[in-house]
Amino acid sequence: MTEFPESRHAVVVMGVSGSGKTTIGRLLAEGLGAAFVDADDLHPDTNRAKMSAGVPLTDDDRWPWLESVGRVIRDETLAGGSIVACSALKRAYRDRIAAAADDDVSFIHLTGSTATISARMQERPGHFMPPALLTSQLETLEPLEPQERGATFANVGDPREVVSRIRDLL
């Protein structure tokens, strides 16, 4: 296992629901010897209930959750680095995470065709995020801007190959 390249650094694997954040994030963390955190696990019950009912979250719903994500990143990176799976759909969300993390954070934006992502979501029975919310996530998504620290990767093919391409960048 390779050491995480920079101590006190975090990588947020971002994208819409079904883009492969958890799969790629877990594999990346495993390969780098870093902690893995799934930001979905940090949602309060009220957010989960809304999404389960097919109601998109508002920014007001997201702010406390994003602050929690940032605090967890800060705590985990003190131990040597972390990989976090988090939608981080808007620039303002990414800025809020980075500010709460009080640390260097890079973003890896996973993309894929709407058909592929929708199919992945259909294969997750019981997940709190229903496929019906994919459209609202795509409408909310703001791709990484040139001045943001990060890169965009198409999540197509074998997940280990995608992780290999990401690791080459890191």
Side-chain angles (χ1 to χ4, degrees):
M1 225 180 259
T2 306
E3 291 289 316
F4 194 72
E6 300 176 43
S7 65
R8 300 207 47 178
H9 186 77
V11 175
V12 174
V13 181
M14 61 165 281
V16 297
S17 185
S19 63
K21 299 179 298 289
T22 300
T23 299
I24 298 302
R26 283 186 197 283
L27 289 171
L28 187 59
E30 177 184 297
L32 294 172
F36 174 76
V37 177
D38 191 331
D40 282 348
D41 296 338
L42 304 175
H43 271 296
D45 291 340
T46 53
N47 284 7
R48 286 176 173 268
K50 278 183 89 168
M51 290 183 284
S52 293
V55 178
L57 297 179
T58 66
D59 286 351
D60 287 338
D61 295 324
R62 287 185 178 102
W63 295 134
W65 169 66
L66 293 166
E67 300 243 346
S68 294
V69 172
R71 285 191 303 274
V72 167
I73 289 171
R74 182 190 62 223
D75 294 347
E76 289 295 333
T77 54
L78 289 174
S82 62
I83 306 296
V84 178
C86 180
S87 54
L89 298 175
K90 290 184 179 181
R91 170 74 188 262
Y93 302 167
R94 297 186 291 273
D95 290 347
R96 179 73 58 108
I97 290 168
D102 192 30
D103 204 6
D104 286 329
V105 179
S106 296
F107 295 90
I108 299 297
H109 178 192
L110 296 180
T111 63
S113 72
T114 302
T116 298
I117 292 171
S118 180
R120 286 182 188 146
M121 292 179 80
Q122 298 291 342
E123 294 170 1
R124 304 184 313 183
H127 193 278
F128 67 87
M129 176 62 100
L133 288 181
L134 177 58
T135 299
S136 72
Q137 287 220 322
L138 291 168
E139 290 170 352
T140 301
L141 177 65
E142 296 173 359
L144 288 173
E145 296 176 15
Q147 65 273 27
E148 288 185 271
R149 186 175 184 177
T152 300
F153 288 85
N155 186 9
V156 294
D158 182 81
R160 293 195 183 278
E161 291 174 12
V162 174
V163 168
S164 179
R165 292 195 318 262
I166 294 169
R167 285 189 60 187
D168 287 347
L169 175 72
L170 293 176

